[in-house]
Amino acid sequence: MAVPALEQPADWTEPGAHPVAPGVHRIPLPLPVASLHAVNVYVIEDPGGLVVVDSGWAMPDTRRTLEGALRLLGHRLDDVAQFLVTHAHWDHYSQALALREEFGTRVRIGRGERHSLEAFDVSKGLHPRQVELLRRCGAFQIADEIAALGVRPEERDLPHTLPDAWLDDGERVALTRRGLDVFATPGHTRGHVVLRDAAAGLLFAGDHVLPHITPSIGLETEPEPKPLRSYLASLRLVRDMPDTLLLPAHGPVAPSTRTRVEELLRHHEERLDVAAGQVRAGRSTAFEVAAAMPWTRRRRTLDDLDVFSRMLAVLEIDAHLDVLADQGVLDVSEDGGVRRYAVRP
């Protein structure tokens, strides 16, 4: 069992600089995405300068909140020596780039994110690849709705340039008082990494392991072909490590990373079973299977979800059906650009 966290507020989104271990503080930052509530960044105090894991969404409220929390610790924004970013989603990466422009702060991110960072073009819309995949899933109406979504002002001008350097799997980031081991954990994005402080019993988990929600899979400009297969392998990688305190990007600190990983693995096993059952019942596309399944803890129908959530649901089922085909449970064929699944004889 991992070491217990230092005392945390009952509401994990409460602003401030909350200690999770000696020399490490959690700072929740606001987001323009109501469903996620906030994003945690983690400040590591080091004689060589502050190290911040993840950075928040580049917007004025986020900057002010981070600046105020650092002030509580006796620091300023220009005391941050480097940002270590778990993945390239805007709520983790964009503020690091904005502060780099102002202060010259060093920014590093997993090498696998290069594919999506180099391919991103706001003029093509926010989710061009997902539109293609939705049509392959038979979800034509959802695809059209996603394609028609405009780019909001808070998204259009966000920085999305390359980092100063990459984080590589197996690398050790040597700080003055601690070392952070880098592990590639593809799935949520193809370049996602987690950072492990073995001596202190801490895992900076980003969105790979979240305490209350199941991370989305492959939502990026250039997703890999089999994101769920990669995600499950990444979960097993973390499960097999010595247990640590879970420091997630969304949600409260949790005492055991391994316990939550086991829950996530069970969840996906259950979804694989349900998806296979829907194919046995005659559904053949990812859209048809997703439409027949319950969603969220409230067991809502697909039609009850907003269009963004419907997109995530269909693509999640597509990823599960891919895994079932890899396992030999299902056969897959293509008809008119739509992938169709059937139970293997």
Coordinates of all heavy atoms in Angstrom, one line a residue, residues 276 279-281 329-331 341-345:
A276 N -19.2 -7.5 -27.0 CA -19.3 -8.8 -27.7 C -20.8 -9.3 -27.7 O -21.2 -9.9 -28.7 CB -18.4 -9.8 -27.1
V279 N -22.8 -7.7 -30.4 CA -22.6 -8.2 -31.7 C -23.3 -9.5 -31.9 O -23.9 -9.8 -32.9 CB -21.1 -8.3 -32.0 CG1 -20.8 -9.0 -33.3 CG2 -20.4 -6.9 -31.9
R280 N -23.2 -10.4 -30.8 CA -24.0 -11.6 -30.9 C -25.5 -11.4 -31.1 O -26.1 -12.2 -31.7 CB -23.7 -12.4 -29.6 CG -22.3 -12.9 -29.4 CD -22.2 -13.9 -28.3 NE -20.8 -14.2 -28.0 CZ -20.1 -13.6 -27.0 NH1 -20.6 -12.7 -26.2 NH2 -18.8 -13.9 -26.9
A281 N -26.0 -10.3 -30.6 CA -27.4 -10.0 -30.7 C -27.8 -9.4 -32.1 O -28.9 -9.1 -32.3 CB -27.8 -9.0 -29.6
V329 N -12.3 -13.0 -31.1 CA -13.7 -13.2 -30.7 C -14.6 -12.8 -31.9 O -15.6 -13.4 -32.2 CB -14.0 -12.4 -29.5 CG1 -15.5 -12.4 -29.1 CG2 -13.2 -12.8 -28.3
L330 N -14.2 -11.7 -32.6 CA -15.0 -11.2 -33.7 C -14.2 -11.2 -35.0 O -13.0 -11.1 -35.0 CB -15.4 -9.7 -33.4 CG -16.2 -9.5 -32.1 CD1 -16.5 -8.0 -32.0 CD2 -17.5 -10.3 -32.1
D331 N -14.9 -11.3 -36.1 CA -14.4 -11.0 -37.4 C -14.8 -9.6 -37.8 O -15.8 -9.1 -37.4 CB -15.0 -12.0 -38.5 CG -14.3 -13.4 -38.4 OD1 -13.1 -13.4 -38.1 OD2 -15.0 -14.4 -38.7
Y341 N -18.8 -5.9 -37.9 CA -18.2 -7.0 -37.0 C -19.3 -8.1 -37.0 O -20.5 -7.9 -37.0 CB -17.9 -6.4 -35.6 CG -16.8 -5.4 -35.6 CD1 -17.1 -4.1 -35.8 CD2 -15.5 -5.8 -35.3 CE1 -16.1 -3.1 -35.8 CE2 -14.5 -4.8 -35.3 CZ -14.8 -3.5 -35.5 OH -13.8 -2.6 -35.5
A342 N -18.7 -9.3 -36.8 CA -19.6 -10.5 -36.6 C -18.8 -11.5 -35.7 O -17.6 -11.4 -35.7 CB -19.9 -11.1 -38.0
V343 N -19.6 -12.3 -35.0 CA -19.0 -13.3 -34.2 C -18.3 -14.3 -35.0 O -18.8 -14.8 -36.0 CB -20.1 -14.0 -33.3 CG1 -19.4 -15.1 -32.5 CG2 -20.8 -12.9 -32.4
R344 N -17.0 -14.6 -34.6 CA -16.2 -15.5 -35.4 C -16.8 -16.9 -35.2 O -17.1 -17.4 -34.1 CB -14.8 -15.5 -34.9 CG -13.9 -16.4 -35.7 CD -12.4 -16.1 -35.5 NE -12.1 -14.8 -36.0 CZ -10.9 -14.2 -35.9 NH1 -9.9 -14.9 -35.4 NH2 -10.6 -13.0 -36.5
P345 N -17.0 -17.7 -36.3 CA -17.6 -19.0 -36.2 C -16.7 -20.0 -35.4 O -15.5 -19.8 -35.4 CB -17.7 -19.5 -37.6 CG -17.6 -18.2 -38.5 CD -16.8 -17.3 -37.7

